């Protein structure tokens, strides 16, 4: 397993669970200074910066790109893949596909979190899940062209009413025969929803493809009450070799958070 830390360039997500928000070059330098292997990027969209510029920053600091988020499609543009308006669903998918191409050129998978949306009103849960499955099929195929998977993230109940548990996500992938889709185990969401986080990871087996390594209160690991040992043992048991990524609040400040998180990751993997 490898360490990663989040760099956000989305002003609308200034209060979100991302560690470094300063200009990108400073974020890369900070990630390197703290000893991270890679960065996870949260950008306003696919045209925010060129792939070549990101490659140059990664090379300069000898950092990998763990993943790219798509959440700005929701927080900045109000787009979701399950919007009742077909034009908005189409725009949402276009945004996601462009982010897949952007990340893919960096060898990094894209993540679907908040852009999955919600069901309700005139839209049934089955209808929303059917639209989501169609979008995931397109996303999985687009990501495959770059040799990376597409990452689907079950969220806690306050952020979506579609899929809140890792096992539900695994079943959804299998039932819909979704190819090249992996699950994101965000330990903060799982702390809210799962009865046993480690067991949930074991039950989802090979489907976990990315981890947001957040403590129970979404601070850096070690600042809440998560028991990491059984969770890391579960990840090892299912053969997980991906990232433990710091998608956490920059508390008490970004540097202290980054230092605490890398310490926790190193302890977990020791
Ligand atoms: C994104 O990774 C996430 O965890 C969500 O809570 C963002 O809305
Ligand atoms: Mn997350």
């Amino acid at each position: 397993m490898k360490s990663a830390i989040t760099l956000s360039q989305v002003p609308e997500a200034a209060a979100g669970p991302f560690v470094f928000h300063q200009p990108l070059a400073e974020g890369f330098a900070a990630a390197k200074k703290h000893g991270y292997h890679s960065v996870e990027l949260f950008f306003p969209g696919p045209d925010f910066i060129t792939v070549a510029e990101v490659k140059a920053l990664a090379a300069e600091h000898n950092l990998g790109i763990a993943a790219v988020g798509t959440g700005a499609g929701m927080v900045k543009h109000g787009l979701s893949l399950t919007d009742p308006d077909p034009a908005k669903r189409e725009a949402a998918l276009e945004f996601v596909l462009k982010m897949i191409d952007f990340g893919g050129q960096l060898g990094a998978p894209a993540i679907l979190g908040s852009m999955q949306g919600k069901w309700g009103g005139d839209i049934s849960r089955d209808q929303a899940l059917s639209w989501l499955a169609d979008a995931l099929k397109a996303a999985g195929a687009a990501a495959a062209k770059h040799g990376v998977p597409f990452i689907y993230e079950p969220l806690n109940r306050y952020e979506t009413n579609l899929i809140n548990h890792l096992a539900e996500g695994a079943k959804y992938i299998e039932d819909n025969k979704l190819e090249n889709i992996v699950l994101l185990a965000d330990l903060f969401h799982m702390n809210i929803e799962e009865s046993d986080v480690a067991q949930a990871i074991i039950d989802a087996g090979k489907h976990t493809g990315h981890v947001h390594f957040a403590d129970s209160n979404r601070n850096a690991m070690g600042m809440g009450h998560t028991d990491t040992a059984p969770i890391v043992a579960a990840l090892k048991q299912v053969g997980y070799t991906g990232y433990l990524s710091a998608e956490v609040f920059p508390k008490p400040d970004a540097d202290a958070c980054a230092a605490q998180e890398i310490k926790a990751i190193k302890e977990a993997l020791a």
Side-chain angles (χ1 to χ4, degrees):
M1 285 178 249
K2 295 158 283 187
S3 59
I5 190 159
T6 46
L7 310 183
S8 173
Q9 294 290 293
V10 182
E12 291 83 351
F18 308 105
V19 181
F20 291 114
H21 296 257
Q22 63 260 59
L24 206 54
E26 290 173 34
F28 270 84
K32 191 64 196 174
K33 181 186 84 179
H34 285 284
Y36 284 86
H37 178 282
S38 291
V39 293
E40 181 173 320
L41 302 172
F42 193 66
F43 286 167
D47 304 320
F48 172 72
I49 185 171
T50 65
V51 168
E53 284 172 285
V54 178
K55 276 188 181 167
L57 283 168
E60 181 188 343
H61 298 284
N62 192 25
L63 284 162
I65 311 298
V68 298
T70 63
M74 168 59 86
V75 300
K76 202 174 171 69
H77 309 290
L79 297 172
S80 111
L81 295 170
T82 54
D83 195 288
D85 178 349
K88 280 193 144 183
R89 289 200 301 280
E90 198 179 316
L93 182 58
E94 195 188 342
F95 185 92
V96 169
L97 293 176
K98 282 186 178 167
M99 287 308 300
I100 289 171
D101 280 336
F102 181 85
Q105 293 172 70
L106 296 160
I111 298 170
L112 178 66
S114 56
M115 279 195 79
Q116 67 192 272
K118 296 173 182 168
W119 67 275
D122 292 338
I123 306 303
S124 69
R125 183 165 191 267
D126 281 352
Q127 176 65 80
L129 285 173
S130 164
W131 285 335
L132 181 63
D134 290 344
L136 287 172
K137 279 177 190 160
K145 289 187 191 146
H146 295 284
V148 295
F150 184 67
I151 304 172
Y152 172 64
E153 180 173 22
L155 303 173
N156 75 69
R157 67 190 71 179
Y158 306 107
E159 297 191 36
T160 188
N161 53 12
L162 290 172
I163 292 180
N164 304 123
H165 296 90
L166 215 57
E168 267 182 288
K171 186 171 183 318
Y172 179 67
I173 287 174
E174 286 170 13
D175 288 352
N176 289 282
K177 300 186 171 52
L178 301 179
E179 288 175 21
N180 202 33
I181 305 296
V182 296
L183 295 175
L184 201 168
D186 182 319
L187 303 184
F188 164 71
H189 298 305
M190 293 180 75
N191 164 68
I192 295 172
E193 298 296 344
E194 308 287 357
S195 44
D196 180 331
V197 174
Q199 189 60 47
I201 287 167
I202 291 167
D203 292 345
K206 64 182 188 330
H207 289 292
T208 296
H210 197 65
V211 172
H212 281 158
F213 201 62
D215 212 323
S216 51
N217 49 9
R218 213 170 208 181
N219 291 343
M221 194 58 87
M223 296 176 72
H225 55 75
T226 295
D227 184 6
T228 42
I231 294 171
V232 173
L235 289 167
K236 286 182 183 159
Q237 187 179 325
V238 299
Y240 180 72
T241 56
Y243 291 94
L244 299 181
S245 185
E247 188 192 69
V248 295
F249 290 121
K251 290 184 179 172
D253 59 68
D255 268 312
C257 163
Q260 170 57 38
E261 177 85 0
I262 195 74
K263 179 168 162 273
I265 291 174
K266 284 182 177 162
E267 280 169 11
L269 299 181

